[in-house]
Amino acid sequence: MAGQTVRLNCSTSDIYSVNWEHVPTGRTSKNYVYLGGTVIVPYNERFSVEKTERGSFALTISAVDSRDSGLYRCIDREGQGEQREAQLAVIGSNPHCTSEEVIDENSCGIKKQEQALLLCNISYSGNTAPSLKCPDLDVTDIVNNVEKSNKTLVSYKLLIGSLPVSVESNHRCYTSRSTIPSSPFKFTVSSVINSTQQLQLSAAGNVTCVANSTGPCSYRWTNESSDIISFDQTLEIKVPGRYQCRASCPLKGMPCDVDCLEVVYISTGETPSNFQLAIVILSLVASILLATCLVVAVVIRRNRRPKNKHNHLLSVSMQNCLVRRSSTREPDVEYHGEQLQKLVTSGLPENS
């Protein structure tokens, strides 16, 4: 019966462990239940294996439901040896229900759904399939599909309306043969909204892009030349410029791309103080004055160069010039005014 605890025994004389496998009702592929000494996800929620020194590996299932129906295999030598099988049928089973994804508000032009689809499977025995009821849902239509081969599985397809109310809480469904409810379930509502944010950086660093979406998304970053530079959600920005992040968040397999983040990185650098600027300006002025003085000195030196190596120009000013003769027999000569101009132009007389 649904909701009870079931124990399946398996013993081996081999020194190695055993493997437990499960082939669910209505399927041909197997699932690993117990492998390498560990109960595999998602069976580990209600399944356990009790191991003893005598080689017993008993599989225990608590609160069995329709999902647990099917064929179980115990294989020794860690799945390489002999095997034994057991068939489990859960009578008056509680339904196993899954809801489809529901499209809500989005920025991709995909139509918002006003109704949702609910699928429920029930394993049963006898000639009549149990009916299904979901009292807290607005069921607008229901279709059942009985497995004709052995009449042990029935599938219900329900169309649910009033989504704004239906998606707010957990739901359960029942069969006409049992008061044990299904596991709680919720409707998955998916929405993707275009919400571009702008961020300005003054220093290099990492920036993470997060889309306004209820589901998983993939990301891509582009630079100001529209070149794709990364597919990671987080981007390390080192070079100043403009960067844009765009997310791809599919809705029921349909593509939906939205803009998420725009980043502008402007490197400000170090701003010099007023004192530093004053020092720079003074240094420039001093350099200019020094260069000017050197040029003037060179010009004056060239104009004052004597034509005779025996002439010695002792002092020159705008008013007078004193010239000492090289010979001690002749007196020194002092030039004034126009005579001084001629002296500068033509040079000193010989023996001066």
Side-chain angles (χ1 to χ4, degrees):
M1 291 291 293
Q4 295 181 345
T5 298
V6 175
R7 182 183 177 92
L8 303 177
N9 294 315
C10 179
S11 299
T12 178
S13 59
D14 198 272
I15 61 174
Y16 299 99
S17 179
V18 303
N19 289 354
W20 275 102
E21 298 176 352
H22 176 213
V23 181
T25 301
R27 293 175 53 184
T28 57
S29 59
K30 65 181 179 182
N31 298 329
Y32 286 107
V33 178
Y34 183 73
L35 182 66
T38 303
V39 180
I40 307 300
V41 177
Y43 289 95
N44 60 344
E45 295 180 358
R46 295 180 296 107
F47 286 55
S48 63
V49 173
E50 182 182 352
K51 178 183 175 182
T52 66
E53 295 181 356
R54 297 182 179 181
S56 174
F57 295 84
L59 178 65
T60 301
I61 310 172
S62 60
V64 293
D65 59 26
S66 59
R67 293 173 294 176
D68 307 326
S69 297
L71 179 68
Y72 287 83
R73 294 194 190 103
C74 177
I75 311 174
D76 65 3
R77 296 188 63 83
E78 297 182 345
Q80 303 298 320
E82 297 182 1
Q83 65 181 36
R84 294 291 185 270
E85 298 179 349
Q87 186 75 37
L88 176 63
V90 182
I91 301 175
S93 176
N94 55 333
H96 175 56
C97 299
T98 57
S99 60
E100 70 164 2
E101 179 183 359
V102 179
I103 297 178
D104 200 5
E105 298 288 347
N106 62 88
S107 302
C108 298
I110 301 176
K111 185 178 180 181
K112 177 181 176 181
Q113 289 183 246
E114 301 298 334
Q115 293 181 317
L117 189 64
L118 179 65
L119 300 176
C120 294
N121 294 327
I122 304 174
S123 297
Y124 71 98
S125 61
N127 296 325
T128 305
S131 60
L132 181 71
K133 53 184 178 179
C134 305
D136 59 343
L137 292 176
D138 180 18
V139 180
T140 59
D141 190 19
I142 182 169
V143 177
N144 68 316
N145 179 25
V146 177
E147 183 68 37
K148 296 181 180 180
S149 60
N150 52 22
K151 293 186 178 182
T152 59
L153 179 68
V154 59
S155 299
Y156 287 95
K157 183 183 295 185
L158 297 84
L159 194 61
I160 310 299
S162 304
L163 284 184
V165 177
S166 300
V167 299
E168 293 178 354
S169 58
N170 287 323
H171 304 283
R172 297 174 183 269
C173 294
Y174 302 81
T175 71
S176 57
R177 296 185 181 181
S178 174
T179 58
I180 301 175
S182 66
S183 300
F185 61 88
K186 278 187 176 182
F187 291 92
T188 303
V189 180
S190 300
S191 65
V192 182
I193 304 298
N194 191 7
S195 58
T196 303
Q197 298 180 352
Q198 292 185 342
L199 177 64
Q200 183 168 329
L201 298 180
S202 58
N206 294 334
V207 178
T208 300
C209 181
V210 180
N212 186 6
S213 172
T214 57
C217 301
S218 60
Y219 298 87
R220 65 180 182 270
W221 286 90
T222 57
N223 56 18
E224 52 193 10
S225 300
S226 299
D227 299 325
I228 298 177
I229 57 177
S230 177
F231 289 99
D232 296 329
Q233 188 174 2
T234 300
L235 178 67
E236 182 180 5
I237 298 179
K238 300 179 180 179
V239 180
R242 187 180 299 272
Y243 303 86
Q244 188 175 28
C245 175
R246 191 168 176 82
S248 178
C249 313
L251 294 174
K252 293 185 71 173
M254 293 178 283
C256 183
D257 295 351
V258 292
D259 293 324
C260 300
L261 183 63
E262 183 178 12
V263 181
V264 178
Y265 173 28
I266 301 175
S267 181
T268 57
E270 295 185 359
T271 304
S273 63
N274 294 334
F275 178 73
Q276 292 174 324
L277 290 175
I279 292 178
V280 173
I281 294 174
L282 290 176
S283 299
L284 291 175
V285 171
S287 300
I288 294 173
L289 291 176
L290 179 59
T292 304
C293 292
L294 291 175
V295 172
V296 172
V298 171
V299 172
I300 294 175
R301 183 178 180 85
R302 287 181 178 178
N303 290 338
R304 291 180 177 180
R305 182 178 300 171
K307 293 184 178 181
N308 193 306
K309 63 180 180 180
H310 300 291
N311 297 336
H312 303 281
L313 184 61
L314 298 182
S315 64
V316 178
S317 67
M318 294 300 296
Q319 289 79 20
N320 54 66
C321 177
L322 176 63
V323 178
R324 185 177 299 278
R325 297 290 187 176
S326 60
S327 175
T328 57
R329 297 179 182 179
E330 298 182 16
D332 297 338
V333 180
E334 187 174 358
Y335 295 88
H336 305 275
E338 294 181 358
Q339 293 178 340
L340 178 60
Q341 295 295 330
K342 291 180 181 181
L343 176 65
V344 174
T345 304
S346 60
L348 295 174
E350 296 182 0
N351 302 323
S352 299

